């Protein structure tokens, strides 16, 4: 049976929670206590910090399982599961940056307020991803069909995994080239914006980094709160792609959640680092389309053939590297003339 770290070492769960809480408190309460425009140097430092923490944690995962009955083989499997899920989520999160840039531009959010918006967006993601992942694992466990013979093999087909596989192949084909990002989209009519407007009137202008303001004795939400809500709902929509994708890597909820959260926590710094160099990722949407389709195929054929986590990690890593290399070697025509 595939043992979870939660079962083997509950102390590690507490350690993960403590690290995340401490880092978030340091981030908002110490290093970013005052709203400011994040420099490329600061963004680079934080990006290195978050990726380093993620890699250290993956080594801890290996060490923990290597001490148990499963030994080296199980430890390698868990290590590569974390790495594959982390880099898949990281790659799909980079695709989020294209939309974040459009949202911030649409609402004309001052650059020194971007960090606060993304911070509260991540707090929401911590909650929503926990619900999606833990509920998803339970749902998958409940939807296995009785063993049957298909194509001459005795298999147990999972209804949810099959639907996820078909959906990811569809999502991969549909997202080829990144055509979904509509620069003319009216984000003031999105679900997040409508939710805020259903509770409060919204002021016409920002009031520093405040979410609420008072005008003529009336308490009103500022556009900043609307932007946070739009970012939150945007993340939920992206999770529809990314969460099913990582279910193809592992069924261990702790591995999935920790890899997901580490990837998301580093998203803010990555946003500031890449917002000025987004042209270096112009071909990334093509790579993401191939990754989503590959994972979808992996889900569909899993009852007959298991593609191991190390192989999945190699495929995902290779596609991501190739996407970046091709982006640098063959930039878009608009970027060449810029």
């Amino acid at each position: 049976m595939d043992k979870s770290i939660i079962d083997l070492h509950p102390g590690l769960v507490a350690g993960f929670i403590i690290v995340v809480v401490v880092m978030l408190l340091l981030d908002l309460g110490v290093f970013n206590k005052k709203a400011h425009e994040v420099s490329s140097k600061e963004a680079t430092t934080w990006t290195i910090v978050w990726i380093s923490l993620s890699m250290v944690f993956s080594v801890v995962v290996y060490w923990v399982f290597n001490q148990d009955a499963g030994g080296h083989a199980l430890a390698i499997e868990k290590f590569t599961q974390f790495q594959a899920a982390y880099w898949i989520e990281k790659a799909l999160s980079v695709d989020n940056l294209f939309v974040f840039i459009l949202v911030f531009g649409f609402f004309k959010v001052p650059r020194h307020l971007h960090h606060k918006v993304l911070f509260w967006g991540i707090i929401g993601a911590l909650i929503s991803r926990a619900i999606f992942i833990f509920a998803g694992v339970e749902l998958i466990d409940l939807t296995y069909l009785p063993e049957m013979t298909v194509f001459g093999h005795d298999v147990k087909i999972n209804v949810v995994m099959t639907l996820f596989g078909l959906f990811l192949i569809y999502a991969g084909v549909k997202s080829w080239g990144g055509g979904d990002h509509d620069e003319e989209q009216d984000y003031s009519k999105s679900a997040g914006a409508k939710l805020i407007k259903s509770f409060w009137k919204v002021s016409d202008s920002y009031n520093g980094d405040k979410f609420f303001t008072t005008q003529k004795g009336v308490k009103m939400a500022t556009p900043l709160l609307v932007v946070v809500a739009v970012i939150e709902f945007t993340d939920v929509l992206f999770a529809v792609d990314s969460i099913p994708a990582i279910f193809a890597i592992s069924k261990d909820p702790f591995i999935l959640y920790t890899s997901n959260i580490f990837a998301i926590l580093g998203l803010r710094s990555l946003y500031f680092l890449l917002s000025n160099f987004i042209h270096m990722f112009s071909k990334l949407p093509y790579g993401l389309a191939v990754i989503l389709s590959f994972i979808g195929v992996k889900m569909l054929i899993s009852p007959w053939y298991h593609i191991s986590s190390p192989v999945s990690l190699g495929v995902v890593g290779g596609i991501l590297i190739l996407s970046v290399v091709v982006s640098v070697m063959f930039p878009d025509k608009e970027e060449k003339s810029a």
Side-chain angles (χ1 to χ4, degrees):
M1 183 177 178
D2 193 19
K3 291 184 177 180
S4 165
I5 293 180
I6 298 175
D7 302 320
L8 294 171
H9 299 277
L12 190 59
V13 180
F16 166 75
I17 294 172
I18 291 171
V19 169
V20 170
V21 171
V22 169
M23 291 300 294
L24 288 175
L25 290 175
L26 286 174
D27 190 350
L28 188 65
V30 178
F31 297 106
N32 294 285
K33 192 171 184 179
K34 293 182 179 180
H36 66 284
E37 184 173 340
V38 178
S39 65
S40 295
K41 181 179 179 181
E42 182 181 351
T44 301
T45 300
W46 274 103
T47 298
I48 293 173
V49 167
W50 281 117
I51 292 178
S52 298
L53 279 174
S54 306
M55 297 302 100
V56 168
F57 186 81
S58 67
V59 173
V60 172
V61 168
Y62 170 84
W63 180 83
V64 166
F65 276 96
N66 197 39
Q67 306 305 307
D68 296 308
H72 176 71
L74 181 60
I76 287 293
E77 180 70 12
K78 290 294 183 178
F79 171 82
T80 51
Q81 284 178 358
F82 180 93
Q83 287 282 343
Y86 173 82
W87 289 111
I88 287 173
E89 181 61 36
K90 200 74 168 178
L92 294 174
S93 293
V94 171
D95 196 39
N96 291 16
L97 300 184
F98 291 96
V99 177
F100 290 170
I101 291 172
L102 294 178
V103 171
F104 286 138
F106 178 86
F107 288 101
K108 297 180 174 58
V109 184
R111 286 188 64 85
H112 68 279
L113 297 179
H114 288 193
H115 182 278
K116 184 169 183 176
V117 172
L118 294 176
F119 178 89
W120 289 107
I122 284 171
I123 296 299
L126 290 174
I127 299 170
S128 64
R129 298 307 171 93
I131 295 172
F132 288 156
I133 289 173
F134 286 89
V137 170
E138 290 297 322
L139 183 61
I140 289 171
D141 287 340
L142 294 172
T143 53
Y144 278 98
L145 297 177
E147 187 172 296
M148 62 184 74
T149 301
V150 181
F151 302 132
H153 296 274
D154 293 330
V155 296
K156 290 188 70 175
I157 297 175
N158 186 279
V159 176
V160 171
M161 291 291 281
T162 301
L163 292 175
F164 279 167
L166 292 172
F167 170 74
L168 290 175
I169 293 174
Y170 166 77
V173 173
K174 187 171 182 288
S175 64
W176 179 259
D180 290 345
H181 304 321
D182 184 4
E183 296 185 9
E184 302 301 322
Q185 183 172 343
D186 186 354
Y187 290 100
S188 66
K189 297 180 180 178
S190 67
K194 289 180 179 178
L195 179 64
I196 298 300
K197 292 176 181 178
S198 67
F199 286 97
W200 300 282
K201 290 184 177 181
V202 179
S203 63
D204 295 327
S205 59
Y206 292 91
N207 184 11
D209 63 351
K210 294 181 175 62
F211 291 133
F212 294 94
T213 187
T214 301
Q215 294 183 359
K216 296 181 180 179
V218 179
K219 185 176 182 179
M220 307 175 71
T222 67
L224 193 65
L225 184 62
V226 176
V227 176
V228 170
V230 172
I231 292 294
E232 292 281 12
F233 272 83
T234 299
D235 178 73
V236 170
L237 292 177
F238 274 106
V240 173
D241 285 346
S242 65
I243 299 302
I246 61 176
F247 283 141
I249 303 299
S250 174
K251 303 300 182 297
D252 185 333
F254 188 69
I255 290 288
L256 297 179
Y257 186 65
T258 53
S259 60
N260 214 265
I261 295 308
F262 272 118
I264 292 172
L265 287 172
L267 181 59
R268 288 162 302 143
S269 55
L270 198 60
Y271 166 81
F272 293 108
L273 180 62
L274 300 183
S275 59
N276 293 327
F277 304 98
I278 205 70
H279 62 279
M280 294 182 62
F281 299 87
S282 62
K283 304 301 185 293
L284 181 63
Y286 297 98
L288 296 180
V290 175
I291 289 173
L292 288 174
S293 299
F294 163 73
I295 295 170
V297 170
K298 177 181 176 178
M299 283 183 167
L300 291 180
I301 68 174
S302 61
W304 295 271
Y305 181 77
H306 173 64
I307 301 177
S308 67
S309 296
V311 172
S312 298
L313 177 60
V315 171
V316 171
I319 293 172
L320 290 178
I321 292 172
L322 181 62
S323 299
V324 175
V325 170
V326 173
S327 297
V328 174
M329 293 179 63
F330 303 100
D332 290 347
K333 292 181 179 179
E334 292 85 352
E335 292 153 9
K336 283 182 177 181
S337 59

